Amino acid sequence: VWNEAGIQKRSEDLFAYALTAWPYPEGAPPRPALSRASGGASRASDEREEDAGECDRNFWLERVPSEFVKMADRFLAVVNTAMGIPRQLNYKGSYIGLSVGVSTRNFIYFAPKKNFMYLSAEVRDRQKWNKRLADLGLETGNSGRYVWVMLRPGDDSRHSEHLSEFIVAGCSE
């Protein structure tokens, strides 16, 4: 029996992954349609598409508003200043990560959608960062070892100092 009760925020992504990642037994009832359980932004138009693997910048510019790709560019500048070793954006089908040459290390990554973008950073004190970002009025949460924050157009300029500190914290881990 599939029970969608209690699915909130990022847990629906895990649920969606679980529905598609494991083989579906023959004779089982049909899989339920995913829906937003409660609260937060509507993600109906942002259903996760199949990961297209390696992509380029144009893939993202055609898929999401250019503001989110430009936001990733601005955050990359913060990463490069904090790290000292220049990184590049690594375009994948379901997120934008970081790379140095051919090496990939996604301590920070971006997941642009049609109406918002997730900025995720691997930080030590997840509770502190969730509270600090939530106090700014931003939706936050945890996904494994990452803290994510949902950003809408303009959030990067309104909260640039705090978001830069969040990114630097992710760089120092």
Side-chain angles (χ1 to χ4, degrees):
V1 176
W2 295 97
N3 181 356
E4 288 185 294
I7 297 173
Q8 296 179 6
K9 297 182 182 172
R10 293 289 291 215
S11 62
E12 73 183 3
D13 293 339
L14 181 59
F15 184 70
Y17 174 77
L19 288 177
T20 58
W22 291 298
Y24 197 66
E26 279 189 48
R31 290 182 170 151
L34 294 177
S35 64
R36 182 96 179 126
S38 66
S42 170
R43 296 186 179 113
S45 64
D46 291 319
E47 289 297 322
R48 182 170 286 174
E49 298 173 20
E50 286 295 314
D51 188 348
E54 293 292 327
C55 299
D56 63 9
R57 183 180 182 86
N58 289 332
F59 169 84
W60 283 101
L61 289 171
E62 292 171 5
R63 185 174 176 188
V64 302
S66 63
E67 171 63 21
F68 296 128
V69 178
K70 291 174 187 173
M71 201 182 289
D73 290 336
R74 288 189 293 271
F75 291 141
L76 175 64
V78 174
V79 169
N80 285 338
T81 300
M83 298 299 292
I85 299 171
R87 273 136 172 92
Q88 298 84 35
L89 293 175
N90 186 20
Y91 300 98
K92 298 291 190 175
S94 58
Y95 67 94
I96 301 172
L98 300 174
S99 66
V100 176
V102 295
S103 298
T104 299
R105 174 69 175 94
N106 292 320
F107 49 89
I108 292 174
Y109 67 94
F110 315 96
K113 305 295 181 183
K114 289 180 177 67
N115 298 312
F116 57 90
M117 179 176 81
Y118 289 117
L119 163 61
S120 299
E122 187 177 350
V123 293
R124 285 198 183 128
D125 193 348
R126 291 190 302 258
Q127 186 175 10
K128 171 189 134 186
W129 280 106
N130 275 309
K131 180 178 180 345
R132 186 168 171 191
L133 295 168
D135 287 348
L136 297 172
L138 299 171
E139 186 174 341
T140 69
N142 296 319
S143 180
R145 63 185 190 260
Y146 294 90
V147 170
W148 57 263
V149 58
M150 181 189 293
L151 301 174
R152 299 197 181 283
D155 281 346
D156 60 325
S157 58
R158 278 190 295 278
H159 306 295
S160 63
E161 183 179 333
H162 299 281
L163 292 171
S164 293
E165 290 174 22
F166 176 59
I167 290 170
V168 169
C171 293
S172 64
E173 297 303 312

